[in-house]
Amino acid sequence: MAVEEIDRGDTTTTPHPLTSLEREAERLRPVQVERPHAFYRQVLPGIVQAPADYVLALARKSSLWPMTFGLACCAIEMMSAYMSHHDLDRFGIVPWASPRQSDVMIVAGTVTKKMAPSVKLLYEQMPNPKWVIAMGSCATNGGPYTRYDRVVQGVDKLVPVDVYVPGCPPRPEALIDGLICLQDMIMRERRNIG
Amino acid sequence: MSQLGAFFDNVWVDAFWRLLVVLGLMVFVVLALTYVERKFIGRIQMRLGPMRTGPYGVFQPIADMMKILLKEDLRPASADRLAFELAPFLAFVPVFLTLLVLPFTARWSVRVLDLGLLYFLAVSGLTVLGYIVAGWASDSKYALIGAMRTAAQLISYEVPLVLAVLALSMLAGSLNLVAIVRDQGRVPFIIWQPLGFFLFMAAAVSDLTRRPFDVAAAESEVAGGPWIEYSGIRWSILYALTEYTNMFALCVLASLIFLGGWDWPLGLKWGWPWQLVLMFGKTMTLILVIMWINATFPRVRVDQLMSFCWKLLLPLAFAQIFLNGLVLVYHWPDWTFLVTSGVTLLVAGYVVYTRLPLGAPSRIVARSAV
Amino acid sequence: MTAPHEGPQEAPIVPPEPGTIADLFREALPDIEFVASQGPVDVMLTIDRKDVLQVLRTAKDDPQLDLKYLRCLLGVDHEEAGLEVVYQLYSFTHGHGVTLKTRLPQDDPRVASAASVWKGADWLERETAEMFGIVFEGHPNPVPLLLPDDMTDHHPLRKDNPLAQVEEWQGSRLGAAAANVGHVPAGYESIAGEGGEPEGPSGESGG
Amino acid sequence: MVTEQERKLETIDINVNVGPQHPATHGVFRMVLTVSGERVVDVVPHIGYMHRGAEKLSENVDYRQGLIYQDRTEYLAQFNAEMCYCMAVERLAGLEPPERAQYIRIILSELNRITSHYMFIGAFATDTGVYGTAFTYAFREREYIQEIFDALTGDRMMYGYFRPGGVVWDVPADFKERVRWVCGQTRVGIDDIDRLLTTNEIFITRCRDIGVISRPDAIDYGLSGPMLRACGLPFDLRRNDPYSIYDRFEFDIPTGTHGDVYDRYLVRMEEMRQSVRIVEQALEQMPDGPIMPEKAPRRLRLPPGEVYMRTENPRGEYGIYLVSKGGEKPYRLKIRSACLSNLTALKQMIVGHYVADAVVILGSVDIVLGEVDR
């Protein structure tokens, strides 16, 4: 079935000259993909799966609700992106106050060590599936403040980051681009997320 | 054929298919209102609203719904499990039950009750229980504060709501919704009861916890109120489904009892398609007005909310009942309803308006340049 | 990085012209020795640290001075020359301002708190204390203001605390933050203790 | 006499933790409110969640590079902060910026004051509960001005356009027309917001007579800017301690009468109008000429000395205390933050009010966490 033919690992490497049959079989065996929560795979077996995960990923990417999580200067540009000039609502992206109802955490600004436990806690409070966007150079690697020891050198030291948006601060267009990247990523990884 | 007709005449079968229709209508209404609200408020805020999900973003609510249903259903470790999981249904079921007595056209409703109006008010008052349980069970202080505010607010505003409806039912002489609508074939009751309509809508906006009365969910204060800890499907039941269904039900009720429902104008003459158009138009107008107020008004404070209810709405509601009683007892002509009610509304409005601090910019003393 | 300035030089002391605020101070407090210097904007007066509280009180209450407004309070680390506490004062009625300075030795950085004179000095002194390790005696609430409670082992703005080269400092320091992660964050225990209501992982308050 | 039943109904005050991530805290401010029902009986503010060492980092870069930390510290009024920093350096170095550069600086600083106050209005209206509409209105007007900044400096927020001694390059040819247009547009925009908020009864009742602070207390706490002027004290550094060329312009200093939240809002609204006046006058008077002094050194080496330079920022007195001991880098750079001093009065303002008022009062302080924590 077409669905099962997913990436076979690294096929571009030259095969070993002394390839035995077992090795060949091993090489051609499809990589097992972890599907932890894909409950619809039991509900909707067989051919229906491909459209089902497509549709669900489509729904997810069309309705990304970020948590309002402005930390520093980047928060102003994040607000600009929500406002009428750039209007993230066009993409179905509306800010939400509580982490319980959000899908994506836009870390907009410098994460300090005093703030770090709260960032982690908020990430843990968000329900799955969840994504993180590191907005700006401070959230990516500490930015201009990276040499100061109270500043965490990038939020990826605390939570897994999906998209990094460069800039200090990124323009709203860059943030929109980052969110579109995230949408593409959701579509690409639709088989992995239940 | 007669066999089929007899099958549908069975009370249970009849109730069942009507229920199914109402259920479908409710889901559709919730999805549509989500979309309408985002678009409408977007336009008020000089934005476009959803554009990318389908043409003009029409599939946005469907995407939202699918996403929410597939979200992880979190329950805080310290929450009271049973109460936490049941609270959304406790809030939602009463709202759904109110839809059962609403006559959407002259001949179509799930049930026509003689005490329909009373049933509606009694059942819709139960929603507050769900919010209180949700706020208490979440074991979060924001949720608790939000739930306490909801309890105080909904119970208080139930009083002027009921009294405004009571004043109106004095005119109609009935609590049967169909009878009330039939009474308005000539003149809708809003003409005779402007004060009552104002009271009803003010209390209804508060009942929906919408701005300016959204202290319960106040995003900048308690960040969502009772449903702050809810996620996924329970949140959508507690928040989206309950709120929009309640809004729809209250606006349908207001258009039935104040705006002439499916009867005025020419409803009975032109048949059910026109009645549906009438109902849709009136309900939608009221919903859009509520959304408009929601988009532009600041939020009142808790004590102001309470004093607005007990010091202003409640006396005015009693005044309306008293005036209606006067007119009815002394058999004055019908237009005196308009005069008494309208004059009271205007006087009350003027008094409130002048006692508020207007002409505010004069408080600034500008030092002129040297 | 340890010595970013080659050959630090002290600014020369330029005595202010007569008739400035320095004379008013000498008039109001004849017993106290002032070293006056004319800065680019304000007159700077250096006083001994034992006189600080008396001078500040007089500066606030004396009708000729009437320096009611504490603009700023800060510390400077002059390395071996000691720590310096600087008070910026301003008078609304007379429109004059002054910079008061006092030097503290490095091994005994203590000075009287101005929080009893100006309420606004409270936070400024807390910040100066945590950044330089200066002890303000008589401060009503001597706890760190900006730094987290678990990271007060050194004073960031002192010259003996240079900035890290990129990624050098972070590795060892991140441990403390990472250890807190997932548990009750630092500073939250105190709330949990007071109200008897622990902030569970559920609380939105966590964020 | 207390019955058994009444003793069982004993109430406790609960602590409500607002922040560091909360829609009302405008960043990562955190306050622990002790509430009795809906009344606040105590408040403990916690700051420092964004302390990222701008002062320390400035000591380790040279005078021109240090400018970027000013932008990022006062990230809503970047030009004002840059101006203060540049003037502090100029005072020590003995540089005098040319006339044209002074006018460009004034125009940009006043426009930046308008954008900062727009941001305040949007955030403050959201605190009082407006559903984003005032925010979008304010941001629309703000974007018009930001487009000018963007076209001039190449960035939307971190401009880095001023230099010790002048500005980095001259303004484009259409600068004057664009600024004139934006002045007119700003007048319209302020009137729009006036109609939406200022005379709204709910808005007035929410803001009136809360967070009152008396004039002696305001001075004692070291408040500055609109917070101080709302108490009735007409103190504005642009007038009382004129720096740059502010003594050449005619403008009013709005003051309040009650010292409450509504006065602070009105003072800020009026300040925006006065800023437009200043910008228009500056456009009239702006001469042609150089934008950097002829003898400006390529590498700045300052003589030893100390200076405290202050400017009137949208939030109050922004000060730079600069200690130089010779060399290319500052020996010590202290940023006097208006927000930090304004926040010290928070407890006095909030205690006794409702929880909802606490949010509004905090909004009226108009905090910028970058400036508070530095």
Side-chain angles (χ1 to χ4, degrees), chain B residues 321-342:
Chain B
I321 291 179
F322 176 71
L323 292 172
N324 285 358
L326 273 185
V327 176
L328 288 173
V329 167
Y330 291 105
H331 298 290
W332 290 342
D334 278 350
W335 56 265
T336 44
F337 281 122
L338 173 63
V339 172
T340 51
S341 180

Short mmCIF file of all heavy atoms in Angstrom, two decimals, chain B residues 321-342:
data_model
loop_
_atom_site.label_atom_id
_atom_site.label_comp_id
_atom_site.label_asym_id
_atom_site.label_seq_id
_atom_site.Cartn_x
_atom_site.Cartn_y
_atom_site.Cartn_z
N ILE B 321 -43.36 46.98 34.86
CA ILE B 321 -44.50 46.15 35.27
C ILE B 321 -45.62 47.03 35.82
O ILE B 321 -46.81 46.86 35.48
CB ILE B 321 -44.05 45.12 36.33
CG1 ILE B 321 -43.14 44.09 35.67
CG2 ILE B 321 -45.23 44.45 36.98
CD1 ILE B 321 -42.62 43.06 36.61
N PHE B 322 -45.24 47.99 36.62
CA PHE B 322 -46.23 48.88 37.21
C PHE B 322 -46.99 49.66 36.14
O PHE B 322 -48.22 49.77 36.16
CB PHE B 322 -45.51 49.84 38.16
CG PHE B 322 -46.39 50.86 38.78
CD1 PHE B 322 -47.32 50.51 39.74
CD2 PHE B 322 -46.29 52.19 38.41
CE1 PHE B 322 -48.14 51.45 40.31
CE2 PHE B 322 -47.11 53.15 38.97
CZ PHE B 322 -48.03 52.77 39.93
N LEU B 323 -46.25 50.18 35.16
CA LEU B 323 -46.89 50.96 34.10
C LEU B 323 -47.83 50.08 33.28
O LEU B 323 -48.96 50.49 32.96
CB LEU B 323 -45.82 51.57 33.20
CG LEU B 323 -44.96 52.65 33.86
CD1 LEU B 323 -43.82 53.04 32.96
CD2 LEU B 323 -45.83 53.86 34.19
N ASN B 324 -47.36 48.88 32.96
CA ASN B 324 -48.23 47.98 32.22
C ASN B 324 -49.49 47.68 33.01
O ASN B 324 -50.59 47.64 32.45
CB ASN B 324 -47.49 46.66 31.93
CG ASN B 324 -46.47 46.84 30.83
OD1 ASN B 324 -46.35 47.92 30.27
ND2 ASN B 324 -45.75 45.79 30.54
N GLY B 325 -49.32 47.50 34.31
CA GLY B 325 -50.47 47.24 35.16
C GLY B 325 -51.46 48.39 35.12
O GLY B 325 -52.67 48.18 34.98
N LEU B 326 -50.94 49.62 35.20
CA LEU B 326 -51.80 50.79 35.14
C LEU B 326 -52.63 50.79 33.86
O LEU B 326 -53.87 50.95 33.88
CB LEU B 326 -50.95 52.06 35.17
CG LEU B 326 -50.56 52.64 36.51
CD1 LEU B 326 -49.84 53.96 36.30
CD2 LEU B 326 -51.80 52.86 37.36
N VAL B 327 -51.93 50.61 32.75
CA VAL B 327 -52.62 50.67 31.46
C VAL B 327 -53.67 49.58 31.37
O VAL B 327 -54.78 49.80 30.91
CB VAL B 327 -51.59 50.56 30.32
CG1 VAL B 327 -52.30 50.52 28.99
CG2 VAL B 327 -50.60 51.70 30.37
N LEU B 328 -53.31 48.39 31.83
CA LEU B 328 -54.23 47.28 31.68
C LEU B 328 -55.43 47.41 32.61
O LEU B 328 -56.56 47.16 32.22
CB LEU B 328 -53.50 45.96 31.97
CG LEU B 328 -52.51 45.53 30.88
CD1 LEU B 328 -51.72 44.33 31.33
CD2 LEU B 328 -53.24 45.23 29.58
N VAL B 329 -55.19 47.87 33.84
CA VAL B 329 -56.27 47.94 34.81
C VAL B 329 -57.29 49.01 34.40
O VAL B 329 -58.49 48.79 34.44
CB VAL B 329 -55.70 48.22 36.21
CG1 VAL B 329 -56.82 48.62 37.17
CG2 VAL B 329 -55.02 46.97 36.74
N TYR B 330 -56.77 50.16 33.94
CA TYR B 330 -57.69 51.25 33.61
C TYR B 330 -58.12 51.23 32.16
O TYR B 330 -58.77 52.16 31.70
CB TYR B 330 -57.04 52.58 33.97
CG TYR B 330 -56.90 52.75 35.46
CD1 TYR B 330 -55.66 52.62 36.07
CD2 TYR B 330 -58.02 53.01 36.25
CE1 TYR B 330 -55.53 52.75 37.43
CE2 TYR B 330 -57.90 53.13 37.62
CZ TYR B 330 -56.66 53.00 38.21
OH TYR B 330 -56.54 53.12 39.55
N HIS B 331 -57.72 50.18 31.41
CA HIS B 331 -58.14 50.03 30.02
C HIS B 331 -57.83 51.26 29.19
O HIS B 331 -58.66 51.73 28.43
CB HIS B 331 -59.64 49.68 29.93
CG HIS B 331 -59.94 48.39 30.60
ND1 HIS B 331 -59.54 47.17 30.09
CD2 HIS B 331 -60.58 48.12 31.76
CE1 HIS B 331 -59.92 46.20 30.92
NE2 HIS B 331 -60.55 46.75 31.95
N TRP B 332 -56.65 51.80 29.40
CA TRP B 332 -56.23 52.90 28.54
C TRP B 332 -55.95 52.37 27.14
O TRP B 332 -55.70 51.18 26.96
CB TRP B 332 -54.96 53.56 29.10
CG TRP B 332 -55.22 54.33 30.37
CD1 TRP B 332 -56.43 54.76 30.82
CD2 TRP B 332 -54.25 54.71 31.34
NE1 TRP B 332 -56.28 55.41 32.03
CE2 TRP B 332 -54.95 55.39 32.37
CE3 TRP B 332 -52.88 54.57 31.46
CZ2 TRP B 332 -54.31 55.92 33.48
CZ3 TRP B 332 -52.23 55.10 32.55
CH2 TRP B 332 -52.95 55.77 33.57
N PRO B 333 -55.96 53.21 26.14
CA PRO B 333 -55.68 52.72 24.78
C PRO B 333 -54.25 52.19 24.66
O PRO B 333 -53.38 52.50 25.47
CB PRO B 333 -55.90 53.94 23.90
CG PRO B 333 -55.82 55.10 24.82
CD PRO B 333 -56.31 54.64 26.14
N ASP B 334 -54.03 51.43 23.59
CA ASP B 334 -52.76 50.73 23.46
C ASP B 334 -51.57 51.66 23.36
O ASP B 334 -50.48 51.35 23.85
CB ASP B 334 -52.80 49.84 22.20
CG ASP B 334 -53.51 48.54 22.50
OD1 ASP B 334 -53.77 48.28 23.69
OD2 ASP B 334 -53.80 47.79 21.55
N TRP B 335 -51.76 52.81 22.69
CA TRP B 335 -50.58 53.68 22.49
C TRP B 335 -50.03 54.21 23.78
O TRP B 335 -48.89 54.67 23.82
CB TRP B 335 -50.89 54.81 21.51
CG TRP B 335 -52.08 55.67 21.91
CD1 TRP B 335 -53.35 55.51 21.48
CD2 TRP B 335 -52.07 56.79 22.79
NE1 TRP B 335 -54.16 56.45 22.04
CE2 TRP B 335 -53.40 57.25 22.85
CE3 TRP B 335 -51.09 57.43 23.53
CZ2 TRP B 335 -53.76 58.34 23.63
CZ3 TRP B 335 -51.46 58.51 24.30
CH2 TRP B 335 -52.77 58.96 24.36
N THR B 336 -50.78 54.16 24.85
CA THR B 336 -50.22 54.61 26.13
C THR B 336 -49.08 53.73 26.60
O THR B 336 -48.23 54.16 27.35
CB THR B 336 -51.31 54.66 27.20
OG1 THR B 336 -52.07 53.47 27.10
CG2 THR B 336 -52.17 55.86 27.05
N PHE B 337 -49.09 52.45 26.14
CA PHE B 337 -47.93 51.59 26.43
C PHE B 337 -46.66 52.26 25.94
O PHE B 337 -45.66 52.38 26.64
CB PHE B 337 -48.07 50.24 25.73
CG PHE B 337 -48.98 49.29 26.41
CD1 PHE B 337 -50.08 48.76 25.76
CD2 PHE B 337 -48.73 48.89 27.72
CE1 PHE B 337 -50.90 47.87 26.39
CE2 PHE B 337 -49.55 47.98 28.34
CZ PHE B 337 -50.65 47.48 27.68
N LEU B 338 -46.72 52.69 24.68
CA LEU B 338 -45.54 53.31 24.07
C LEU B 338 -45.14 54.55 24.84
O LEU B 338 -43.97 54.77 25.16
CB LEU B 338 -45.82 53.65 22.61
CG LEU B 338 -44.73 54.45 21.91
CD1 LEU B 338 -43.45 53.66 21.85
CD2 LEU B 338 -45.18 54.84 20.53
N VAL B 339 -46.14 55.38 25.17
CA VAL B 339 -45.83 56.65 25.82
C VAL B 339 -45.19 56.40 27.18
O VAL B 339 -44.10 56.91 27.47
CB VAL B 339 -47.11 57.49 25.96
CG1 VAL B 339 -46.82 58.72 26.80
CG2 VAL B 339 -47.63 57.87 24.59
N THR B 340 -45.85 55.57 28.00
CA THR B 340 -45.32 55.38 29.36
C THR B 340 -43.95 54.74 29.33
O THR B 340 -42.99 55.22 29.94
CB THR B 340 -46.29 54.50 30.17
OG1 THR B 340 -46.56 53.33 29.40
CG2 THR B 340 -47.57 55.22 30.47
N SER B 341 -43.84 53.66 28.56
CA SER B 341 -42.58 52.93 28.55
C SER B 341 -41.47 53.77 27.93
O SER B 341 -40.36 53.86 28.47
CB SER B 341 -42.76 51.63 27.77
OG SER B 341 -41.58 50.91 27.73
N GLY B 342 -41.80 54.41 26.82
CA GLY B 342 -40.78 55.20 26.14
C GLY B 342 -40.32 56.37 26.98
O GLY B 342 -39.12 56.65 27.08
#
